[in-house]
């Protein structure tokens, strides 16, 4: 079965019209035309998206507060939910699939999480990395350790600022082994999820890593090499 997607241009026009209709108390416009891409194995995407929506809405209900006030409380458990339910598939590499998912099934979730649908970047318009559903999946993907006692331990560590500033916006989604090593460095098992470096310290390290990446390919580092590199670089920074 082909996977569905919305073109970014059509989704942008739809969301603009939706914002106007909501402000005016009018009926929402019809959804954009669903396009189909024939890549990948057969998946019932409608059913999968509906299951995901139900699970996330149940999580929202259990939190009680609005997501704007309880962002970390929502995103921390939500990322394993999204990662578990979505299969490995070429669709997950297509930003316009994530737009389809967020716009077709996630409007109420985005509104609850951010207090409005006005910022279209939360649907992936303008930048795929800002799509709420993609970010939740990517957090689960980076933090997933198959075969361990708690496979999503790393995905549950760190607040939203840590993930946004030091993982997503550094494009570590393209260097997932390194990103996982960074998480292990900052949240070692022996500390039971407590951060190793203070906020100011981790910002210093993150800036240093950004500079170092101009000369090094983090994408090809093994877990062992990444771990040694992080330890060595932090020791060097501490000694300065």
């Amino acid at each position: 079965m082909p996977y569905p997607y919305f073109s970014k241009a059509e989704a942008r026009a739809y969301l603009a019209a939706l914002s106007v209709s909501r402000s005016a108390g009018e009926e929402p416009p019809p959804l954009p035309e669903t396009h189909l891409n024939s890549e990948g194995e057969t998946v019932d995407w409608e059913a999968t998206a509906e299951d995901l929506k139900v699970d996330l809405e149940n999580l929202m209900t259990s939190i009680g507060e609005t997501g704007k006030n309880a962002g970390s409380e929502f995103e921390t458990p939500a990322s394993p939910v999204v990662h578990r339910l979505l299969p490995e598939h070429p669709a997950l590499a297509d930003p316009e699939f994530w737009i389809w998912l967020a716009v077709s099934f996630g409007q109420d979730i985005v509104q609850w999480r951010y207090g409005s649908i006005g910022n279209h970047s939360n649907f992936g318009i303008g930048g795929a990395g800002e799509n709420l559903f993609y970010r939740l999946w990517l957090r689960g993907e980076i933090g997933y350790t198959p075969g361990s006692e708690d496979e999503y331990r790393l995905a549950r560590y760190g607040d939203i600022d840590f993930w946004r500033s030091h993982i997503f916006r550094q494009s570590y989604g393209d260097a997932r082994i390194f990103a996982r090593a960074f998480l292990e460095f900052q949240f070692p098992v022996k500390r039971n999820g407590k951060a190793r470096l203070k906020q100011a310290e981790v910002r210093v390290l993150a800036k240093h890593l950004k500079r170092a990446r101009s000369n090094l390919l983090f994408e090809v580092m093994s877990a062992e090499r990444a771990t040694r590199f992080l330890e060595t670089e932090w020791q060097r920074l501490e000694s300065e």
Side-chain angles (χ1 to χ4, degrees):
M1 179 180 179
Y3 71 80
Y5 69 93
F6 286 159
S7 77
K8 186 179 291 188
E10 290 170 340
R12 182 187 290 112
Y14 166 79
L15 290 169
L18 180 64
S19 294
V20 171
S21 68
R22 288 195 174 193
S23 297
E26 299 172 351
E27 288 294 313
L31 286 169
E33 178 186 358
T34 299
H35 304 283
L36 299 174
N37 187 309
S38 61
E39 290 186 63
E41 297 181 0
T42 298
V43 175
D44 188 338
W45 290 109
E46 295 276 343
T48 299
E50 185 61 38
D51 288 344
L52 180 57
K53 178 182 177 183
V54 169
D55 283 0
L56 292 178
E57 287 179 341
N58 287 340
L59 180 58
M60 288 157 48
T61 300
S62 71
I63 290 172
E65 292 188 75
T66 64
K68 195 171 183 180
N69 296 327
S72 283
E73 192 178 350
F74 171 72
E75 292 195 17
T76 298
S79 63
V81 169
V82 176
H83 190 261
R84 280 196 196 98
L85 281 174
L86 293 179
E88 290 188 22
H89 197 279
L92 305 189
D94 186 343
E96 294 188 320
F97 163 78
W98 292 102
I99 292 174
W100 170 83
L101 181 61
V103 171
S104 288
F105 289 86
Q107 289 183 29
D108 292 341
I109 295 166
V110 170
Q111 169 131 14
W112 176 87
R113 170 63 185 85
Y114 296 105
S116 74
I117 61 166
N119 187 347
H120 298 167
S121 66
N122 296 320
F123 293 91
I125 307 300
E130 295 299 317
N131 184 300
L132 174 62
F133 287 82
Y134 175 72
R135 284 195 295 102
L136 292 173
W137 175 83
L138 185 58
R139 178 170 174 169
E141 172 73 3
I142 290 172
Y144 180 58
T145 310
S148 65
E149 185 176 349
D150 181 358
E151 294 183 326
Y152 289 99
R153 175 181 68 85
L154 292 174
R156 295 189 178 95
Y157 292 160
D159 60 15
I160 290 174
D161 180 66
F162 177 86
W163 280 90
R164 272 186 175 272
S165 299
H166 305 313
I167 302 293
F168 299 141
R169 288 177 179 167
Q170 305 309 316
S171 299
Y172 287 160
D174 298 326
R176 294 173 195 176
I177 292 174
F178 184 87
R180 197 170 292 116
F182 190 18
L183 287 164
E184 292 278 13
F185 171 87
Q186 177 64 354
F187 304 102
V189 173
K190 62 184 179 182
R191 292 181 64 88
N192 295 317
K194 293 181 180 178
R196 174 178 174 176
L197 305 186
K198 296 178 182 177
Q199 190 175 60
E201 292 174 325
V202 79
R203 284 177 178 168
V204 169
L205 177 58
K207 288 180 181 178
H208 178 75
L209 294 176
K210 186 175 183 178
R211 290 193 296 270
R213 198 175 183 186
S214 64
N215 297 310
L216 294 170
L217 286 174
F218 288 3
E219 291 84 351
V220 300
M221 281 189 182
S222 66
E224 293 77 14
R225 172 77 177 93
T227 298
R228 287 198 307 272
F229 176 74
L230 286 161
E231 292 289 350
T232 300
E233 294 305 298
W234 176 243
Q235 288 171 15
R236 188 154 66 85
L237 287 170
E238 274 191 307
S239 65
E240 292 179 354

